[in-house]
Amino acid sequence: MNQLNKNDWLIPISLILLSTVPVVGGVLRLYWLSGGSEIIPGNERVLAMPVPAVIHIISSSIFCVLGAFQFSVGIRSRNPKWHRTAGQILVPAGLTAALSGLWMTQFYPSAEFDGSILYAMRLLVGTSMILFICFGLAAIIKRNFTCHQAWMMRSYALGIGAGTQVLTHIPWSFFPSIQSELTRALLMGAGWVINFIVVEWILYRERYTAESNKVTSKKLIASATINS
């Protein structure tokens, strides 16, 4: 690991920083649920059934933090065994995070400003995350590494949505007059959509580069054949 350069750490560190607020918030919630402090407003709905929330916090934190290192090309190429071991942890962690999130969406009382639109969004995101992880798992079983990478990146984009939602909610905090169920749903949805667009752009660039390299290789082979 000490042979990796700074660029190999740039993306993982950036993703971990993006996860910092929701992960720290989750740790604080665990502390509150353990009776270490007074329950803050909005947590009463979790107090009656804390186990799903605890499972979700732990699994999603592992998925976001450990998953960040899977985006480093240097770590993947120079430490393939570590990459596989991390993946064996991330798959169950991601599925657990998504399933527990769906459970809380379905059975926990709605928080203030959480309306039917956001409810539908959470069901869609949780279900999609589960499907993407399953598609990624099926792809790696078939040794289709490119497809595996794409599906796992998509699942991670949804899983780390809470980090981006901290940023999209900045107007919510500074302008209370805009607070409503619709605004809340739009800001939450924006976090997931932004992440998904970024991942799709990265995948498009990788496909475009790969196709360009293939074309260049064919031209070089054809040129060498003609010259010979």
Side-chain angles (χ1 to χ4, degrees):
M1 297 288 282
N2 57 358
Q3 297 177 350
L4 299 176
N5 57 44
K6 292 182 179 179
N7 291 331
D8 292 323
W9 294 103
L10 181 60
I11 294 179
I13 290 175
S14 300
L15 292 173
I16 290 173
L17 288 175
L18 185 63
S19 305
T20 298
V21 174
V23 169
V24 171
V27 172
L28 291 175
R29 176 166 285 187
L30 290 177
Y31 178 66
W32 286 318
L33 290 175
S34 68
S37 179
E38 293 183 4
I39 302 298
I40 62 172
N43 272 359
E44 296 87 350
R45 64 196 184 106
V46 179
L47 187 59
M49 291 182 290
V51 174
V54 171
I55 292 174
H56 182 74
I57 291 169
I58 295 174
S59 59
S60 60
S61 297
I62 292 173
F63 187 73
C64 291
V65 175
L66 185 59
F69 294 98
Q70 302 292 71
F71 283 80
S72 171
V73 176
I75 294 176
R76 293 203 310 268
S77 60
R78 300 180 192 182
N79 301 272
K81 184 176 180 180
W82 186 93
H83 177 74
R84 289 193 297 270
T85 302
Q88 291 169 358
I89 298 173
L90 288 168
V91 167
L95 291 173
T96 302
L99 287 169
S100 58
L102 287 172
W103 194 98
M104 293 189 297
T105 298
Q106 188 65 34
F107 297 107
Y108 276 172
S110 298
E112 187 179 10
F113 298 116
D114 285 3
S116 57
I117 298 177
L118 182 54
Y119 168 78
M121 284 183 178
R122 283 173 169 156
L123 292 182
L124 176 62
V125 169
T127 303
S128 298
M129 186 174 168
I130 292 171
L131 290 175
F132 293 164
I133 292 175
C134 290
F135 292 157
L137 183 59
I140 198 62
I141 291 174
K142 296 178 181 178
R143 313 298 290 175
N144 188 337
F145 300 107
T146 300
C147 189
H148 166 75
Q149 179 186 3
W151 286 119
M152 294 307 294
M153 286 176 66
R154 292 179 179 119
S155 68
Y156 187 85
L158 297 180
I160 202 174
T164 309
Q165 286 159 356
V166 173
L167 302 177
T168 60
H169 270 69
I170 291 176
W172 179 276
S173 302
F174 284 97
F175 304 101
S177 60
I178 69 171
Q179 295 181 359
S180 67
E181 288 187 1
L182 178 59
T183 306
R184 165 81 166 159
L186 291 175
L187 295 177
M188 290 288 286
W192 289 310
V193 170
I194 290 171
N195 287 1
F196 204 78
I197 289 175
V198 170
V199 164
E200 289 300 325
W201 178 79
I202 293 172
L203 293 173
Y204 169 78
R205 291 283 297 178
E206 290 182 349
R207 288 193 298 268
Y208 178 80
T209 301
E211 289 298 325
S212 298
N213 291 338
K214 287 181 181 179
V215 172
T216 302
S217 297
K218 289 180 180 179
K219 289 181 178 178
L220 291 174
I221 294 173
S223 176
T225 303
I226 293 174
N227 293 332
S228 63

